Amino acid sequence: MLSRLPDGAYKLGDTGKLALAGNKALRLSQMAQAGFLVPNAVVLTDGFLTRYSAANARQRAQMASKIWQYIGPNPCAVRSSASNEDGAEQSFAGVFDSVLEVKEHNIAEAIETVLASFSSDRADSYQIASAGQANILVQEMVDASFAGVLFTQDPQAPGMMLLEWVEGCGEDLVSGRKTPGTARFGRVSGAQASDTETPPFDPAHLLRMGQAIEALFDQ
């Protein structure tokens, strides 16, 4: 039988306990509760991370091991979810570190890497104090054929949806290592704009899911 999670660490389904855990973790939790397919995750809140920072190496290894008992055995991603991150006013995209393909032997190191990025020189240069409390999302990785971003309202064309994709892992898109494919679709009709690329997959389900998620959050 698995031991319970350490204090301040919550399963993604504990939506009521994630109000201050950052929009990334909170919105994923709300989506999971609404029935969307969201990979399994554990949220490490500011309370957990404060104790983690004060712990010695042996204690950190024990705390990380308990997290792994819930998220393993598949590789996971360790990502930031600051309390003011990914909001309507500011996102801090690319400011904090993420560690991908994390396994049991390096989960403690991955947590420490993301935690350290909250107080890095890069974060300081962005005046990151306004990002609020530190939280970390430990989430099961998806072995994706394609990854990308769907804007249900194109910032440059409000009547359209914008889809960007790359083959393989989404990190290649976020880091700029790959130039994404780009397509636009009517928000109402779902019809693809004739002057954009045709995705190498059927986007119909993705577009419907994007609209359903938009409705969930009443945007």
Side-chain angles (χ1 to χ4, degrees), residues 130-216:
S130 60
Q133 293 180 344
N135 306 276
I136 290 177
L137 182 69
V138 184
Q139 188 166 30
E140 186 176 345
M141 290 281 297
V142 173
D143 186 14
S145 298
F146 294 91
V149 179
L150 172 65
F151 296 90
T152 55
Q153 181 168 302
D154 185 341
Q156 297 181 332
M160 306 293 287
M161 292 183 281
L162 173 64
L163 177 62
E164 295 182 337
W165 68 89
V166 295
E167 186 173 1
C169 179
E171 182 66 15
D172 289 334
L173 172 60
V174 175
S175 66
R177 289 194 294 266
K178 291 183 179 179
T179 301
T182 303
R184 288 181 171 84
F185 303 84
R187 277 175 53 82
V188 176
S189 68
Q192 182 176 344
S194 59
D195 59 345
T196 60
E197 298 178 54
T198 298
F201 50 85
D202 184 355
H205 176 71
L206 181 62
L207 299 178
R208 289 194 298 270
M209 184 169 61
Q211 291 172 325
I213 293 171
E214 183 181 67
L216 174 66

Side-chain angles (χ1 to χ4, degrees), residues 12 24-25 28 39-44 67-68 70-81 96-104 106-115 135-143 169-171 174:
L12 196 64
K24 188 180 296 177
L28 287 172
N40 185 35
V42 173
V43 182
L44 311 181
I67 303 303
W68 182 259
Y70 277 86
I71 203 64
N74 296 325
C76 63
V78 180
R79 310 162 63 202
S80 66
S81 183
F96 304 127
D97 287 336
S98 296
V99 185
L100 306 182
E101 300 292 345
V102 175
K103 298 183 180 179
E104 184 174 12
N106 65 333
I107 187 170
E109 179 184 353
I111 292 171
E112 291 164 20
T113 295
V114 178
L115 181 59
N135 306 276
I136 290 177
L137 182 69
V138 184
Q139 188 166 30
E140 186 176 345
M141 290 281 297
V142 173
D143 186 14
C169 179
E171 182 66 15
V174 175

Side-chain angles (χ1 to χ4, degrees), residues 48 52 59-69 107-108 111:
F48 172 94
Y52 192 85
Q59 292 168 330
R60 288 187 179 191
Q62 291 175 339
M63 294 169 75
S65 178
K66 290 183 178 181
I67 303 303
W68 182 259
Q69 289 180 45
I107 187 170
I111 292 171

